[in-house]
Amino acid sequence: MNQPAVIKSPSEFNDPMPQPLMPEKLNPEPYPLQALGSVLGDAAHAIADGVQVAPAMAGQSVLAAAALVAQPFANVIIDGRTYPLNLFCLTISESGDRKSGTDSVATQPHARRQRELFESYKESYDYYLNEREAFNTARQEVLKTKRKEGREEIAKALMELGAPPEPPLAPTLICQEPTLEGLQKSFSGGQSSQGLFSDEGGTFFGGHAMNKDNAQKSIAGLSTFWDGKDIHRLRAGEGESMSIKNPRLSIHLMVQPVIAQRVLSDGLLSGQGFLARFLMAAPESLAGRRKYQEIDLTTNKAVKRYQQLMTRLLEAEQPKDTDGTLEPHDLQVTGEAKALWVDAYNEIELALAPSGDYSEIKATAAKVAEQIARIAGVLTIIDDHHAERVTGETMSRAILLGDWYLTEAIRLTKQGNAGAEYVTAQEVIQWIIAKDLGVITVNQVNKGTRKVKSAQHARETLRLLEENGWLVPLPSDTLLNGEKTREAWRLNRRALEAANDGA
């Protein structure tokens, strides 16, 4: 038991209330599931009930899955400006909050379609190998029989033989942890429309693609995919150069808060506008409130209708030119839909001013008008993939969703304003309170908790707690275990009260 020097009794302390170390916890606004429309919205509602997750979790998964299905069919056109329909989504949720369960229901048709593509690919590839062997044999025969007839005759005979057979398109529809080069190769020899979906997004942010040597390159490459621009890669190695036209990539990464904190505070990821391209959501956890419910989503009408529609669109013929290049058709935004979008655009722009509501999230907010246009396009294609224009009603729903993502971005920014040192300080003070320490020293904190990395780190953390009123420095003659301590603190007597208020 610690034996401090004689200290005034708690009743004699005149301690001020400590300053909060972390921003006030802000609750998310309700996710507007109705804005997703009857098919997507009803399915998301059923998934939220059946998996027992927050509506924002289900809405985010369904919207991302819908973007992957819709993106090859159309681009939104506003005053000659072209906006592709692919979306980048980031969902922040604790382990055990059923991210996997939510996403598996939302992407079940996609997983099934990918299995079908793989099965078909096996047969097509076997046929291709035989065709290639036959072509090579025929070519060798031409060279053998024409070798004495001169160069022109050989060339003529080879021209008559025709081009070698093309391998079938690689079947990848969804990947989970690619490198940028791997993703580019997948598009070069595979599907023109793909998704990067992972319920363990930390493996992507912590993997090869995002290590210190590759992060800059990966950010630039993925940003090009978001823009839907052609990709031209020139390499010295044979077969390494490639040209990819009109690729469409949607992303949905689900990460734990500890990963999200590191990602959102990364200057490289935020500084180049990469994170601003993501629609972010941090749904509330329902852990502790999820009593078993007898809900079978495999028989749920709303989920079945959603999955059947996703399947039809995944199997539908994608618009392509004679060379196999994706050619999404134009979705015009005119009349009422355009007027609504312009009003939303102008409102957002005004709020980007230094004193405006969105000044703290300028990079993100500056892209929301385009995000609204993309979402409107996705919702339109889900309703009718042959549609030629976005209606005012659909644009209104897209604006509701855009407003929600703006509000969520502001909330996450306010929640994340505390630096890493304040997060550590918050964890250390909670540890001190739990241990009911009468005297607190650097050595105690350094050896007693893993929250600090060294004695110096412990000292800096304790001084930060002192500066914010949680700890009060003790005289240098304070005794601990019968010995004087050169540097020690006591807990502010109002710390427990402040901790409870902030809980």
Side-chain angles (χ1 to χ4, degrees):
M1 183 72 178
N2 295 338
Q3 300 294 325
V6 177
I7 302 174
K8 289 186 298 185
S9 65
S11 61
E12 296 180 65
F13 293 148
N14 186 26
D15 294 343
M17 182 66 77
Q19 295 298 309
L21 295 167
M22 303 295 289
E24 180 184 357
K25 185 176 181 180
L26 303 172
N27 294 321
E29 292 293 319
Y31 190 92
L33 289 181
Q34 76 282 0
L36 292 171
S38 60
V39 175
L40 301 184
D42 290 352
H45 192 281
I47 292 169
D49 287 345
V51 184
Q52 297 188 73
V53 295
M57 176 94 77
Q60 185 88 322
S61 285
V62 165
L63 180 59
L68 175 54
V69 167
Q71 65 188 14
F73 291 103
N75 297 318
V76 165
I77 308 296
I78 303 178
D79 290 333
R81 299 178 180 87
T82 300
Y83 303 116
L85 305 191
N86 54 312
L87 299 175
F88 285 10
C89 299
L90 182 68
T91 302
I92 304 166
S93 184
E94 293 278 6
S95 177
D97 280 345
R98 302 182 178 176
K99 299 186 291 293
S100 300
T102 304
D103 219 42
S104 65
V105 179
T107 61
Q108 187 182 90
H110 309 65
R112 187 187 306 118
R113 178 58 177 164
Q114 178 149 286
R115 287 194 296 271
E116 292 171 354
L117 289 172
F118 267 97
E119 288 301 318
S120 176
Y121 177 78
K122 290 177 184 177
E123 296 179 10
S124 299
Y125 195 75
D126 287 342
Y127 181 79
Y128 158 72
L129 291 177
N130 292 332
E131 284 284 293
R132 188 181 66 178
E133 185 67 27
F135 175 85
N136 289 337
T137 301
R139 190 173 189 278
Q140 291 301 318
E141 185 64 25
V142 166
L143 294 174
K144 180 179 177 181
T145 57
K146 296 289 184 179
R147 68 172 182 257
K148 295 182 179 179
E149 297 184 22
R151 180 176 174 178
E152 289 187 7
E153 287 300 316
I154 294 174
K156 181 180 178 182
L158 290 175
M159 289 291 292
E160 290 174 356
L161 181 63
E166 291 284 340
L169 295 178
T172 302
L173 176 63
I174 294 179
C175 56
Q176 293 181 322
E177 191 194 342
T179 62
L180 178 63
E181 289 81 3
L183 194 61
Q184 290 170 339
K185 284 185 177 180
S186 182
F187 272 91
S188 178
Q191 308 298 312
S192 301
S193 172
Q194 299 185 34
L196 195 175
F197 281 50
S198 176
D199 54 22
E200 293 294 342
T203 60
F204 172 76
F205 285 112
H208 181 78
M210 285 298 186
N211 67 27
K212 64 179 182 180
D213 296 323
N214 296 316
Q216 179 100 33
K217 177 178 61 177
S218 295
I219 290 169
L222 290 172
S223 295
T224 300
F225 273 113
W226 188 81
D227 295 334
K229 294 179 178 177
D230 294 351
I231 296 171
H232 303 289
R233 198 179 80 173
L234 184 62
R235 296 288 188 273
E238 184 177 352
E240 292 298 312
S241 295
M242 62 184 66
S243 182
I244 307 168
K245 297 179 181 178
N246 270 350
R248 291 294 181 269
L249 175 72
S250 279
I251 296 178
H252 186 199
L253 299 174
M254 309 178 92
V255 300
Q256 295 181 27
V258 65
I259 301 295
Q261 185 180 39
R262 177 169 59 81
V263 170
L264 296 177
S265 62
D266 189 302
L268 181 61
L269 293 175
S270 58
Q272 295 199 3
F274 179 63
L275 292 178
R277 289 172 162 84
F278 281 82
L279 298 172
M280 297 191 191
E284 63 175 329
S285 174
L286 300 187
R289 294 177 279 166
R290 303 172 301 193
K291 291 186 177 180
Y292 183 79
Q293 297 188 50
E294 295 182 358
I295 298 177
D296 185 352
L297 291 179
T298 64
T299 62
N300 182 276
K301 290 182 180 179
V303 173
K304 288 177 69 175
R305 183 169 62 141
Y306 159 80
Q307 292 184 343
Q308 288 167 357
L309 175 59
M310 294 294 104
T311 299
R312 285 199 301 272
L313 290 176
L314 285 164
E315 294 176 349
E317 185 177 357
Q318 296 176 359
K320 295 182 179 180
D321 65 15
T322 54
D323 294 327
T325 299
L326 199 63
E327 275 198 337
H329 72 262
D330 291 346
L331 267 178
Q332 298 292 338
V333 178
T334 57
E336 180 189 8
K338 182 181 176 183
L340 290 167
W341 183 83
V342 169
D343 285 346
Y345 180 104
N346 289 336
E347 184 177 338
I348 293 168
E349 181 61 28
L350 288 173
L352 292 177
S355 60
D357 292 340
Y358 303 150
S359 59
E360 287 188 77
I361 57 165
K362 185 166 65 173
T364 297
K367 293 190 181 298
V368 169
E370 177 172 348
Q371 299 277 28
I372 289 171
R374 289 174 181 240
I375 293 170
V378 170
L379 300 181
T380 298
I381 294 302
I382 292 302
D383 289 341
D384 176 10
H385 74 281
H386 296 298
E388 296 181 354
R389 64 186 64 252
V390 176
T391 66
E393 186 271 339
T394 302
M395 184 59 75
S396 294
R397 291 192 281 124
I399 290 170
L400 271 177
L401 289 162
D403 284 344
W404 186 88
Y405 284 109
L406 271 171
T407 302
E408 184 73 344
I410 292 171
R411 182 179 77 91
L412 292 176
T413 297
K414 289 181 178 179
Q415 291 282 137
N417 275 343
E421 68 274 19
Y422 283 89
V423 174
T424 300
Q426 178 75 18
E427 293 172 338
V428 168
I429 197 64
Q430 289 172 345
W431 177 82
I432 290 170
I433 292 171
K435 291 292 183 180
D436 193 24
L437 298 177
V439 174
I440 301 110
T441 67
V442 170
N443 191 48
Q444 281 178 315
V445 173
N446 184 37
K447 292 185 176 181
T449 175
R450 295 181 180 178
K451 306 301 182 183
V452 297
K453 302 173 184 177
S454 64
Q456 181 60 27
H457 189 199
R459 180 175 288 104
E460 291 170 355
T461 302
L462 292 171
R463 287 177 178 169
L464 181 62
L465 288 168
E466 177 188 337
E467 290 170 7
N468 286 274
W470 290 87
L471 299 179
V472 178
L474 291 173
S476 59
D477 61 350
T478 299
L479 296 178
L480 179 63
N481 297 328
E483 296 183 3
K484 290 183 180 181
T485 61
R486 295 172 57 187
E487 194 175 29
W489 293 261
R490 67 167 174 82
L491 190 66
N492 180 326
R493 75 178 182 86
R494 303 187 71 182
L496 185 58
E497 177 186 348
N500 290 335
D501 286 345

